[in-house]
Amino acid sequence: MSVENFSAAADKAIKNDGLQQRLAHITHEFINKRQAAVNAVPDWEAWRVAGKNIKQHAIEHLDIYLEEFEKNLTNAGGELHYCQTGEEAADKILRICQQHKAQLVVKSKSMVAEEINLNQHFAKNNIKLVETDLGDYIVQLRGDEPAHPIAPALHVGKAMVAETFRQEHKNLPRNRPLESIGDLMAEARGILRKDFLTADVGITGANFLVAESGSVVLVTNEGNGDLVSTLPPVHIVVTTIDKIVPTLYDASHLLRLLCRSATGQPITSYASFFTGNNQTQDGDGAIAFHVLLLNNNRTQLLADDLRPALSCIKCGACLNHCPVYQTVGGASYGGAQMGPIGSAIAPAISGIKRANDLVFASTLCGRCDDVCPVKIPISHLLRRQREWSFLQKTIAPQKQRWLKYFRRASQSPKKFRHASHAVRRMLRFYNRHGMIKNIGLFPPARPWFAKKNLPSPAKKSFFDKVK
Amino acid sequence: MSSQKKVGLFVTCLVDMFRPSVATSAIRLLKKCGFAVVVSPRQTCCGQVAFNNGDRDTARNIARELLYEFHDCDYIVAPSASCAGMVVKNYGELFPHPDRAGHLFGHNLYHFDKNEDLPHRADGFRAKFYELSDFLYHVVNFQPSNIAPYVGDRKISYHDSCSSLRDTKTFIAARGLLARAGVAAANLADAEACCGFGGSFTTDFPNISASITDKKCDDILSTAPDILLSADLGCLLHLVGRLSRRGAAVEAFHLIEFLDEQAHSQFLLPLGKELNNAAQKTPAAQQPAK
Ligand code: SF4
């Protein structure tokens, strides 16, 4: 699936009743938990402002902090790799694994790995890569796309998980119960534990990169992140340049915002700080520690009006509150960039032409703006992308024509009244006692009638009467 | 009020086309509050359609026209949070002061005639611009006469538009006006959720839109209302359209119509209803202001 098939994928998702139920349930859970967590904070708004300022400052001084991070990371025995494109990053990771003669690689939670199609790349090159976050593991076994950055398998019900395990786990006794969540977790843990212990390389994402210490911060709730990063001899962190923050203090404030916004927790079960390899100071960590920083056109966002998009801390709150996401689910977006903020970033990563549908797939209701913990004006960014789309003429031809008519009609009040009069007369032709049920072939307004009627325009418009 | 203040009524394009009675009601209410009401025959729309679809130049042309049209009014009001939000929130961005100008991938989006001093004009315009229910409630301190007897035991539900919740943040005014009128309106369960309209969103993605709307329709129907009110005509057209397709009949009115018509015990057919012949009764005082 890819970003340009949004509409078709969305239509499919809408018809999937099971998915609809689970989406409604899970997003509501997330919304309620977040609200409770936010209510418990004396001044959430002040926290948001502070969070916004931290991110904004970091993004505006990206060059300085990236250099500082690199220096401190290298001093702690880590190695930094910059990658411009997704292919470059996937290849780099593969090569590090090959250098260490890796046969089994374990991985925990990384949307960036999704973005660069890491799993497919490894499969092509015959290195076994196992997801260890339970949700990601289920998604991987089923060959699906993740449905949510935090709850990737939200589209899969318990019974479906059991079915998948029975199909894929070769030595699973037939009579082993797989009814409860506990059963399923125990089953997955049994399989994954062996992988943790025998893996040659562990791959994780990162939530923050701390410039002043060269540390990588990762939050998880299952503990798999710690196992992936500490048991194998090699730890590779794959993340993006916008994760940088100046100080540990900054990181801890953003953690407060992140956890509450994502899951409603004051802090996640695990918040891990990795600093370099085991050769320095405290002597713990992996033998080899690599950090990959992916750009993938993010610096394009840096250079213009879209800059706030880089402040995103990937909490998922905007997705949970988005009426469109709630309806179509994450897989419909066709990539790692999903939900409102994903739609605002996707054009930079996939090109405006391919991501055109996404930037228009919003009612601009603004609920995302209100819940974003770092105050990103997401709907504003979507409008900016629409402007870009308009200038590049990547809008669907029919809509372009329609906008041209509007442009012309709006040039003078007289033309505007004429146009509005014509539309009103056309619509009234189909009027039945005040309601219009369909309008034959009249093109621009036709989609309105696919799923709903339209109260009829008035016999005389207001300005007809004033005249 | 000693000298009459002048209020410009911005007639939204949807009101003009679909529901002129919202404008006539607004005029009656404003006159009752002692204002001189003006409408501008030169106004078109607020430019939101163009702005939300990325056509900034068209939006700016439309906006510029309005800045001049209403410039001598003491206040300008619109019976829609959506349009008011466009003006209050976005006109500043259409006419930014030079220090705020930005770029989009190297395109300068902010080129307009610097001699006109549009940024200051826009600032003044925005400061005088109100969503109508907000204006009536907060600025005028309007006291609707008790209309509860006319409502009787009919149940009323109120839909908050996203614009009124988040752009203009005027959602409280509608409730306040209803409360002053002695009407208890039911709130919807997930009141902060969007109705799924989103302007051209609903024609770009009709299925997603309908799916979102169905949740709102369910929430509306579960309050079993006789009357559905909102201060935004866009949401209402969309909701009534979907409800009607689903075979559910709810009488919907714009809040302003409701306050006016009920208080003056006038008769107005709900949205999407028309009498067979020309016998439709129209409110007596449909004399637009000068
Ligand atoms: S844009 Fe969305 S995912 Fe990113 S920080 Fe804001 S709410 Fe969270």
Side-chain angles (χ1 to χ4, degrees):
Chain A
M1 201 182 297
S2 59
V3 290
E4 59 258 66
N5 296 331
F6 176 75
S7 278
D11 287 349
K12 237 171 83 191
I14 289 169
K15 292 199 190 98
N16 183 341
D17 290 339
L19 173 66
Q20 289 300 320
Q21 270 168 23
R22 275 186 292 277
L23 272 169
H25 174 71
I26 286 168
T27 51
H28 265 88
E29 288 261 287
F30 275 136
I31 288 175
N32 293 339
K33 283 185 182 155
R34 173 196 167 274
Q35 194 59 55
V38 165
N39 292 346
V41 171
D43 196 347
W44 178 250
E45 189 54 27
W47 281 24
R48 287 176 80 208
V49 173
K52 174 194 165 192
N53 289 346
I54 292 170
K55 285 297 288 189
Q56 196 174 316
H57 173 83
I59 298 294
E60 273 163 12
H61 301 88
L62 206 51
D63 47 347
I64 296 171
Y65 290 119
L66 281 172
E67 251 176 48
E68 190 183 342
F69 176 74
E70 178 167 20
K71 193 182 87 215
N72 291 325
L73 173 77
T74 320
N75 284 345
E79 236 183 281
L80 187 71
H81 313 268
Y82 283 106
C83 301
Q84 285 306 321
T85 66
E87 292 92 68
E88 200 185 321
D91 227 51
K92 184 83 212 169
I93 297 172
L94 184 78
R95 260 185 291 129
I96 297 173
C97 291
Q98 283 166 342
Q99 267 164 26
H100 291 276
K101 307 210 169 24
Q103 287 173 341
L104 176 65
V105 176
V106 283
K107 181 171 149 250
S108 131
K109 187 89 259 140
S110 160
M111 287 309 276
V112 180
E114 270 326 299
E115 182 178 323
I116 64 177
N117 293 321
L118 192 65
N119 292 16
Q120 290 87 320
H121 197 62
F122 269 61
K124 249 189 278 161
N125 288 281
N126 296 319
I127 297 183
K128 192 171 171 209
L129 190 154
V130 181
E131 294 285 359
T132 61
D133 175 286
L134 182 58
D136 285 318
Y137 178 66
I138 295 165
V139 167
Q140 186 185 31
L141 283 186
R142 297 171 53 86
D144 288 353
E145 310 261 340
H148 189 284
I150 290 163
L154 72 75
H155 59 296
V156 192
K158 263 191 298 187
M160 289 157 82
V161 177
E163 196 184 303
T164 307
F165 282 179
R166 290 209 189 277
Q167 249 169 39
E168 302 292 327
H169 291 177
K170 295 291 175 269
N171 300 321
L172 179 67
R174 291 206 141 272
N175 56 0
R176 176 161 186 164
L178 288 179
E179 261 95 67
S180 70
I181 292 183
D183 293 342
L184 294 168
M185 269 171 37
E187 169 59 21
R189 189 178 293 135
I191 300 279
L192 290 173
R193 186 139 298 170
K194 268 180 254 133
D195 290 339
F196 284 131
L197 291 168
T198 51
D200 306 295
V201 177
I203 300 176
T204 69
N207 292 89
F208 307 107
L209 306 171
V210 183
E212 73 169 354
S213 63
S215 309
V216 173
V217 185
L218 181 70
V219 295
T220 62
N221 266 321
E222 295 171 19
N224 59 319
D226 280 13
L227 296 176
V228 163
S229 53
T230 49
L231 290 175
V234 183
H235 178 192
I236 305 174
V237 177
V238 48
T239 187
T240 50
I241 49 171
D242 51 309
K243 292 282 161 63
I244 204 99
V245 294
T247 67
L248 283 162
Y249 226 82
D250 295 328
S252 67
H253 179 67
L254 292 172
L255 272 177
R256 290 187 190 110
L257 291 169
L258 170 65
C259 305
R260 284 175 175 84
S261 302
T263 51
Q265 295 165 288
I267 187 80
T268 46
S269 311
Y270 298 84
S272 316
F273 289 69
F274 308 111
T275 313
N277 65 2
N278 69 347
Q279 305 302 304
T280 48
Q281 292 175 18
D282 49 6
D284 65 19
I287 295 166
F289 184 65
H290 297 269
V291 178
L292 253 93
L293 284 186
L294 177 69
N295 179 355
N296 212 10
N297 285 330
R298 281 174 175 77
T299 38
Q300 203 186 62
L301 297 173
L302 202 57
D304 55 52
D305 264 14
L306 299 164
R307 189 182 294 167
L310 292 177
S311 294
C312 176
I313 58 172
K314 308 278 184 292
C315 70
C318 58
L319 283 75
N320 300 331
H321 291 78
C322 174
V324 175
Y325 174 85
Q326 286 172 358
T327 303
V328 305
S332 302
Y333 293 85
Q337 309 297 334
M338 49 182 77
I341 187 67
S343 302
I345 294 177
I349 289 164
S350 308
I352 185 69
K353 193 154 188 234
R354 293 184 63 211
N356 188 63
D357 259 9
L358 298 188
V359 304
F360 285 93
S362 164
T363 64
L364 302 178
C365 76
R367 211 173 172 186
C368 49
D369 305 346
D370 273 17
V371 297
C372 177
V374 287
K375 293 178 79 82
I376 300 174
I378 306 168
S379 52
H380 171 93
L381 299 180
L382 285 170
R383 280 203 194 88
R384 279 302 75 75
Q385 292 289 16
R386 291 177 184 193
E387 273 175 64
W388 185 232
S389 175
F390 180 82
L391 291 167
Q392 297 297 302
K393 298 197 176 10
T394 56
I395 300 178
Q398 187 181 325
K399 191 166 171 181
Q400 270 185 51
R401 231 172 296 138
W402 180 87
L403 282 169
K404 204 168 83 191
Y405 293 140
F406 184 83
R407 164 177 280 240
R408 284 208 204 122
S410 70
Q411 294 302 314
S412 81
K414 210 169 136 200
K415 279 191 195 148
F416 196 80
R417 302 272 178 268
H418 275 310
S420 120
H421 186 72
V423 173
R424 214 157 36 76
R425 270 193 51 185
M426 185 284 302
L427 286 172
R428 278 200 66 87
F429 181 77
Y430 297 95
N431 170 31
R432 304 286 175 270
H433 313 310
M435 192 64 83
I436 303 165
K437 303 207 163 128
N438 71 69
I439 51 161
L441 293 172
F442 185 69
R446 200 146 57 110
W448 174 285
F449 298 91
K451 290 278 163 105
K452 58 187 173 288
N453 302 335
L454 175 69
S456 168
K459 277 188 196 118
K460 276 187 145 202
S461 77
F462 178 79
F463 286 106
D464 281 349
K465 290 180 190 170
V466 178
K467 255 198 314 220
Chain B
M1 219 168 289
S2 49
S3 71
Q4 258 196 338
K5 294 231 172 172
K6 206 158 137 189
V7 173
L9 176 67
F10 175 74
V11 181
T12 75
C13 54
L14 290 181
V15 164
D16 176 45
M17 276 179 81
F18 285 89
R19 206 62 183 169
S21 48
V22 176
T24 43
S25 289
I27 292 171
R28 254 202 310 265
L29 288 176
L30 287 166
K31 280 186 168 167
K32 199 174 166 208
C33 298
F35 292 105
V37 186
V38 293
V39 292
S40 153
R42 286 190 53 78
Q43 66 145 91
T44 54
C45 73
C46 67
Q48 187 171 184
V49 175
F51 189 64
N52 283 352
N53 279 301
D55 187 357
R56 179 182 286 254
D57 284 339
T58 301
R60 186 160 36 222
N61 286 342
I62 294 170
R64 183 181 166 280
E65 202 62 39
L66 290 188
L67 301 188
Y68 285 100
E69 267 318 293
F70 288 103
H71 84 278
D72 61 344
C73 292
D74 297 298
Y75 303 99
I76 306 109
V77 296
S80 157
S82 179
C83 308
M86 172 69 194
V87 171
V88 175
K89 249 185 109 177
N90 297 326
Y91 275 21
E93 203 201 309
L94 285 177
F95 305 105
H97 292 269
D99 55 325
R100 267 188 278 139
H103 290 268
L104 185 68
F105 297 119
H107 276 256
N108 180 4
L109 297 171
Y110 303 96
H111 47 78
F112 50 89
D113 192 346
K114 298 283 183 295
N115 300 324
E116 284 183 281
D117 199 21
L118 291 171
H120 280 114
R121 258 179 195 280
D123 287 349
F125 187 72
R126 284 159 64 213
K128 292 193 290 189
F129 205 99
Y130 288 87
E131 192 273 323
L132 180 53
S133 59
D134 185 39
F135 182 73
L136 290 174
Y137 186 70
H138 284 118
V139 181
V140 185
N141 194 16
F142 176 61
Q143 302 289 340
S145 45
N146 194 324
I147 59 179
Y150 295 102
V151 174
D153 51 9
R154 299 215 292 163
K155 279 177 79 181
I156 295 182
S157 294
Y158 188 80
H159 165 69
D160 297 292
S161 70
C162 292
S163 321
S164 73
L165 284 166
R166 289 176 279 267
D167 287 345
T168 58
K169 306 204 181 343
T170 52
F171 60 100
I172 218 78
R175 297 281 158 56
L177 287 172
L178 286 172
R180 282 180 188 169
V183 175
N187 294 330
L188 304 183
D190 198 1
E192 280 183 50
C194 174
C195 74
F197 175 38
S200 51
F201 171 82
T202 195
T203 48
D204 286 348
F205 303 96
N207 295 339
I208 303 176
S209 171
S211 200
I212 299 171
T213 313
D214 274 342
K215 292 173 198 153
K216 188 58 82 183
C217 291
D218 293 343
D219 286 346
I220 291 171
L221 293 174
S222 73
T223 61
D226 299 302
I227 297 173
L228 174 68
L229 294 179
S230 176
D232 267 272
L233 189 58
C235 305
L236 280 179
L237 290 170
H238 179 76
L239 286 168
V240 170
R242 180 64 189 161
L243 284 166
S244 147
R245 178 67 61 94
R246 282 173 51 164
V250 175
E251 295 194 355
F253 295 93
H254 191 284
L255 172 74
I256 295 301
E257 286 176 327
F258 176 81
L259 288 176
D260 175 46
E261 300 296 317
Q262 296 281 335
H264 297 98
S265 55
Q266 311 256 0
F267 177 72
L268 193 66
L269 283 164
L271 224 65
K273 287 268 166 357
E274 228 169 59
L275 294 180
N276 258 342
N277 42 36
Q280 182 185 347
K281 294 179 207 160
T282 43
Q286 227 166 42
Q287 244 55 264
K290 229 346 329 87

